[in-house]
Amino acid sequence: FCGGVFILPFFLFSAFAGEIADRREKSGIIRLLKFIEILLMLVAGYGFITGRYELLVLVLFFMGAQSAFFGPIKYSIIPQLIREEELVAGTALVESGTFAAILLGTITGGVLVAMGGFAISAGLVIFALAGWLTSLFIQKAEPAEPNLKMRLQPFSQIADCYRHIIKEKSVSVSVIAISWFWFFGAAILSLLPAYTSLTLSGNERLITLFLSLFTIGIGIGSTVCAKLSPEKLETGIVPAGAIGMTLFSLLILLAGAPDSPTETIGIISFLGTAQGAIIFFAFLFASVSGGLFIVPLYTLIQQRTDSSDRSRIIAGNNILNALFMVAAAGAVMAFYEIGLTIPQMFGLIGLLNAVVSTAIFIALPEFPNRFLRFIRNRFQR
């Protein structure tokens, strides 16, 4: 339920947010959004202290709305602040920073929950203040389309976003590929708690380890991507990421389920077995592959869109991302209904990734062609 409350604003507000981001100066919008976040965290803090959980659900909705408004700016502002040859590295930094923040928030949140409502409230407000103070250092980014006519017509605005997306085939295919990545990631993350506790008989620390592996792996993959594309976008990295996502997902299936221990195991006990080490390796490198897959796609969208409609295109991408994440939740429920084991679900997700990636590469041969050229150039060296 709470996941739905958070996702709903992306469908409701993303298109309108894209129009605002194209029409207005972006750094000012970011500062306003971060200030609103402080107010929301004050309300959330009051909800935690008093036990008013209806307030927390309301704040969750508005935080989803805040994220929907922030999303189109997050990537569309990058080309306005850095040189084109720095775009891959800049996008990789944003991507790895995003997942590092997710990891830090997950760990910190667990610590604060153990300390009680006052600690949670103080932590929320402090982090919100830190975000707002940081936003004060963002350089001014002039409006891309200052004469854009603003509307409050959600369906028309969404349609307009996708009219801009389909103008350039490489952009539209990249949007679909990014959305598939979020399907893949959302499905994997939704399976992790049950996989760790039921299949591996792991404790909470082992669950935290796997969540950390996912976020750290994305960050490593993003950094490697920047190293492989030092000055110019290398779209041939995308198939390498897709291949890794499939192979390492299948490796989790092939690793199977360890013999059920008589008691819950921790990180050391798990990694002390060959099977545990293989599963650890598979999760880490599936995530690294995800970073290789996603960064070039986001960079391509930034490079091959006009500044006048870039924010609306990213808004349309965010809407589709949200739709694919909802579909991932539905797919996992269907997997449970047909009686698949969790390792089998990982394997099936890997096979689906192979099918979808193949369709993407057929639709845009630039990806496999650049991949083969990239491999050939590496061997010639």
Side-chain angles (χ1 to χ4, degrees):
F1 172 75
C2 289
V5 169
F6 184 78
I7 289 289
L8 179 60
F10 285 88
F11 296 104
L12 298 177
F13 305 124
S14 287
F16 182 57
E19 289 187 351
I20 292 177
D22 278 333
R23 190 176 189 273
R24 302 289 186 182
E25 193 278 315
K26 294 181 179 63
S27 67
I29 300 174
I30 293 174
R31 283 188 279 273
L32 175 61
L33 290 172
K34 299 309 289 184
F35 181 75
I36 291 172
E37 184 178 310
I38 296 173
L39 301 179
L40 290 172
M41 291 304 97
L42 287 169
V43 176
Y46 175 76
F48 276 112
I49 291 171
T50 60
R52 298 280 301 278
Y53 296 112
E54 69 277 9
L55 275 181
L56 298 179
V57 173
L58 184 64
V59 170
L60 185 64
F61 175 84
F62 281 107
M63 283 303 298
Q66 189 249 21
S67 298
F69 277 90
F70 184 76
I73 299 175
K74 179 179 174 180
Y75 290 104
S76 65
I77 196 174
I78 299 176
Q80 292 184 260
L81 300 180
I82 61 178
R83 299 190 303 271
E84 184 172 352
E85 60 268 25
E86 299 173 324
L87 200 53
V88 178
T91 303
L93 185 61
V94 169
E95 201 66 26
S96 57
T98 298
F99 280 92
I102 292 171
L103 175 59
L104 177 63
T106 302
I107 295 173
T108 306
V111 172
L112 293 176
V113 166
M115 296 171 64
F118 283 99
I120 297 171
S121 304
L124 290 174
V125 175
I126 289 170
F127 276 105
L129 279 168
W132 176 74
L133 289 172
T134 303
S135 73
L136 299 179
F137 295 93
I138 299 175
Q139 299 175 23
K140 190 174 182 180
E142 295 296 335
E145 187 64 27
N147 297 319
L148 179 66
K149 185 178 179 181
M150 304 297 295
R151 301 165 295 168
L152 285 173
Q153 302 170 344
F155 294 108
S156 176
Q157 289 169 317
I158 291 173
D160 183 60
C161 288
Y162 289 103
R163 276 196 295 268
H164 289 292
I165 287 173
I166 64 176
K167 285 192 301 185
E168 168 60 47
K169 185 178 180 180
S170 62
V171 171
S172 58
V173 173
S174 294
V175 166
I176 293 171
I178 290 170
S179 297
W180 169 253
F181 166 82
W182 286 109
F183 179 102
F184 180 92
I188 295 293
L189 286 176
S190 68
L191 290 172
L192 271 181
Y195 177 69
T196 307
S197 60
L198 300 179
T199 304
L200 304 180
S201 298
N203 59 20
E204 292 182 357
R205 291 182 180 178
L206 192 59
I207 295 175
T208 302
L209 171 67
F210 279 109
L211 291 173
S212 301
L213 281 179
F214 186 84
T215 52
I216 292 170
I218 295 291
I220 293 172
S222 300
T223 303
V224 171
C225 183
K227 296 295 183 182
L228 295 176
S229 300
E231 294 182 357
K232 183 180 179 182
L233 172 63
E234 178 51 77
T235 55
I237 299 173
V238 176
I243 292 169
M245 289 161 66
T246 290
L247 291 181
F248 292 113
S249 298
L250 291 174
L251 184 57
I252 297 171
L253 168 64
L254 295 176
D259 294 333
S260 299
T262 56
E263 58 183 18
T264 301
I265 63 172
I267 295 174
I268 302 301
S269 299
F270 174 72
L271 294 179
T273 66
Q275 198 171 30
I278 291 172
I279 294 170
F280 175 93
F281 171 86
F283 264 107
L284 176 61
F285 282 92
S287 303
V288 170
S289 300
L292 292 174
F293 184 80
I294 195 71
V295 170
L297 295 170
Y298 273 120
T299 307
L300 184 150
I301 290 177
Q302 294 172 72
Q303 285 187 340
R304 300 187 188 180
T305 52
D306 295 330
S307 60
S308 60
D309 56 15
R310 185 175 293 130
S311 295
R312 280 169 286 171
I313 287 172
I314 294 172
N317 170 70
N318 290 347
I319 294 170
L320 197 61
N321 293 172
L323 182 63
F324 270 61
M325 284 189 280
V326 172
V332 169
M333 291 174 61
F335 296 161
Y336 279 114
E337 286 295 322
I338 62 178
L340 294 180
T341 65
I342 298 179
Q344 288 172 340
M345 294 182 201
F346 282 119
L348 181 54
I349 291 168
L351 291 175
L352 287 173
N353 182 69
V355 172
V356 174
S357 298
T358 300
I360 288 169
F361 300 148
I362 291 173
L364 194 65
E366 172 189 346
F367 288 140
N369 291 342
R370 290 292 307 176
F371 173 67
L372 294 174
R373 187 180 303 175
F374 177 77
I375 295 297
R376 187 165 57 247
N377 291 341
R378 291 283 163 175
F379 276 113
Q380 287 175 352
R381 292 181 184 178

